[in-house]
């Protein structure tokens, strides 16, 4: 006959010596441990409001496995309990696997988080270009990510379960609050779960920033790019070298027509136009070729200047590369 004894534990507590021969300190997550004879337990939701159910098999974790994670046996069981014996798994149980992963984040221990992935996982992380395909590389990613003290919640999710109950997926939108900075980040996610050695693990995890959270760049048309020349030309008409210099970006580079010296800051750019503006130049684009990128654009071609002071006309080749800086397009 099955006998079940439930011990409620809450951190920070030590178990009394009449329960165990030595004191054991538990994590800040409140858990309930059910000691069940002969029955296997489903991998737990680690939410603080839920109970953690473990089987006899869960208690028989090998010492080599525990040494791998470098943590005490109870913590290892908490995050890596065997799945229940039944073939079926519910949507609620699949969603609970996210909570288990989220609570692993809360430990601040990258080894524990990495232990939630299979032995041959694929992690396509939000802030890394490198696919993570083993324990060490997954751990390496979370070494940095956990410094932000992230905690997530699912805003919208869609769960699918295979007919044989051996595979489940959870896809949707989640949101993270970074405890270290207070930043809130929304992203799309996919978790594919499989049972590995009787334990539900993450086989595939893909996380990507929401499109509206991406820097898609300031939109600009080709005609608008050509119009940026007019802003510079109008600044020339003021005959004020400081007004012309303001049309250049903070890290602007000017390779001028009648100077061998590259001008790479506001002072040197201003200095060039002190003399050039004495000619009272006004320009006109004769031929233009425009390229547009993400927060940058380029206009190259042929222009012609009429020098108001002398009436002389000068034709030259030009390249303007513009960047979007401090809310306006500047010459870079």
């Amino acid at each position: 006959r099955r006998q079940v004894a439930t011990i409620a534990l809450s951190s920070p507590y030590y178990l009394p010596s009449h329960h165990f021969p030595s004191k054991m300190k538990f994590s800040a997550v409140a858990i309930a441990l059910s000691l069940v004879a002969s029955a296997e337990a489903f991998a737990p939701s680690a939410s603080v409001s839920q109970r953690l159910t473990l089987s006899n098999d869960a208690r028989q974790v090998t010492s080599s496995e525990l040494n791998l994670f470098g943590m005490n046996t109870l913590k290892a069981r908490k995050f890596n309990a065997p799945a229940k014996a039944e073939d079926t798994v519910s949507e609620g149980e699949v969603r609970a696997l996210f909570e288990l992963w989220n609570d692993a984040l809360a430990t601040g221990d990258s080894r524990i988080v990495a232990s939630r992935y299979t032995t041959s996982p694929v992690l396509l992380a939000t802030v890394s270009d490198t696919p993570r395909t083993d324990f060490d590389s997954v751990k390496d990613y979370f070494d940095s990510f956990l410094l932000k003290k992230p905690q997530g919640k699912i805003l919208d999710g869609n769960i699918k379960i295979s007919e044989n109950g051996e595979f489940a997926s959870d896809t949707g939108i989640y949101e993270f609050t970074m405890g270290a900075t207070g930043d809130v980040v929304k992203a799309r996610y996919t978790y594919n779960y499989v049972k590995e050695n009787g334990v539900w693990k993450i086989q595939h995890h893909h996380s990507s920033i929401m499109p509206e959270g991406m820097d898609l760049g300031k939109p600009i048309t080709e005609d608008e790019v050509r119009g940026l020349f007019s802003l510079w030309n109008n600044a020339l008409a003021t005959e004020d070298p400081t007004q012309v210099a303001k049309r250049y970006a903070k890290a602007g580079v000017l390779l001028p027509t009648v100077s061998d010296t590259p001008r790479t800051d506001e002072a040197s750019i201003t200095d060039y136009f002190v003399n050039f503006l004495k000619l009272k130049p006004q320009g006109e684009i004769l031929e233009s070729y425009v390229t547009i990128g993400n927060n940058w654009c380029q206009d190259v071609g042929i222009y012609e200047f009429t020098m108001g002071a002398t009436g002389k006309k000068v034709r030259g080749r030009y390249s303007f590369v513009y960047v979007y800086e401090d809310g306006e397009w500047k010459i870079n």
Side-chain angles (χ1 to χ4, degrees):
R1 180 172 301 186
R2 180 180 304 169
Q3 295 180 344
V4 179
T6 301
I7 305 172
L9 305 175
S10 180
S11 175
Y13 276 89
Y14 290 93
L15 290 182
S17 58
H18 65 273
H19 283 238
F20 289 92
S22 61
K23 293 181 178 179
M24 299 177 64
K25 189 173 182 180
F26 290 83
S27 69
V29 181
I31 61 174
L33 174 62
S34 297
L35 306 178
V36 182
S38 75
E40 291 184 335
F42 174 73
S45 163
S47 171
V48 295
S49 63
Q50 294 178 306
R51 292 193 171 191
L52 175 66
T53 305
L54 299 178
S55 69
N56 285 335
D57 291 338
R59 292 192 293 275
Q60 296 170 359
V61 181
T62 66
S63 60
S64 61
E65 182 181 1
L66 298 181
N67 290 337
L68 173 64
F69 303 131
M71 48 189 156
N72 65 47
T73 56
L74 187 59
K75 185 176 287 188
R77 294 180 200 137
K78 172 186 174 180
F79 289 100
N80 294 282
K84 62 185 182 181
E86 290 85 350
D87 289 337
T88 59
V89 60
S90 70
E91 291 190 4
E93 289 168 332
V94 173
R95 179 56 49 79
L97 294 173
F98 169 81
E99 299 298 337
L100 185 63
W101 177 82
N102 197 37
D103 282 355
L105 296 182
T107 68
D109 191 332
S110 59
R111 298 166 300 176
I112 294 176
V113 182
S115 77
R116 287 300 310 136
Y117 292 77
T118 65
T119 54
S120 57
V122 176
L123 168 61
L124 303 176
T126 311
V127 292
S128 173
D129 294 333
T130 305
R132 313 297 175 126
T133 57
D134 56 26
F135 180 90
D136 289 338
S137 60
V138 172
K139 176 185 176 298
D140 175 73
Y141 173 75
F142 286 107
D143 283 342
S144 299
F145 186 60
L146 291 182
L147 296 177
K148 300 178 181 180
K149 300 183 179 180
Q151 275 294 276
K153 64 178 179 179
I154 288 178
L155 304 180
D156 183 24
N158 183 39
I159 292 173
K160 298 293 184 183
I161 301 170
S162 66
E163 291 184 1
N164 62 9
E166 293 293 322
F167 168 87
S169 68
D170 188 355
T171 62
I173 309 296
Y174 54 13
E175 182 179 82
F176 283 92
T177 299
M178 306 302 175
T181 63
D183 292 340
V184 177
V185 179
K186 189 181 294 186
R188 297 173 290 187
Y189 72 85
T190 297
Y191 292 95
N192 289 342
Y193 300 103
V194 297
K195 280 193 286 188
E196 182 177 84
N197 298 325
V199 179
W200 282 102
K201 295 288 186 80
I202 303 167
Q203 195 281 321
H204 176 91
H205 180 192
H206 181 197
S207 184
S208 59
I209 193 168
M210 298 291 288
E212 59 266 29
M214 299 174 66
D215 183 7
L216 300 179
K218 177 70 173 178
I220 190 170
T221 66
E222 290 192 9
D223 287 340
E224 289 171 333
V225 172
R226 294 186 179 97
L228 296 175
F229 172 81
S230 295
L231 294 179
W232 178 78
N233 200 36
N234 291 340
L236 296 182
T238 67
E239 300 183 20
D240 182 348
T242 62
Q243 293 299 314
V244 182
K246 287 180 180 178
R247 291 303 312 147
Y248 289 78
K250 296 173 184 175
V253 177
L254 168 62
L255 304 176
T257 310
V258 292
S259 173
D260 294 334
T261 304
R263 313 297 175 120
T264 58
D265 56 31
E266 185 175 2
S268 61
I269 292 173
T270 301
D271 176 73
Y272 172 76
F273 285 106
V274 168
N275 292 316
F276 185 62
L277 291 182
K278 293 177 181 178
L279 298 173
K280 301 183 184 297
Q282 276 293 279
E284 176 187 5
I285 289 179
L286 304 179
E287 190 174 345
S288 168
Y289 301 92
V290 170
T291 303
I292 299 174
N294 184 39
N295 278 344
W296 69 271
C297 54
Q298 175 180 274
D299 185 3
V300 300
I302 307 295
Y303 57 11
E304 183 178 78
F305 280 92
T306 300
M307 306 302 176
T310 63
K312 184 178 180 179
K313 290 184 181 293
V314 179
R315 185 175 295 188
R317 294 172 292 186
Y318 73 85
S319 294
F320 289 97
V321 175
Y322 302 97
V323 295
Y324 195 69
E325 181 179 278
D326 297 333
E328 60 180 321
W329 290 97
K330 295 290 188 75
I331 302 167
N332 190 59

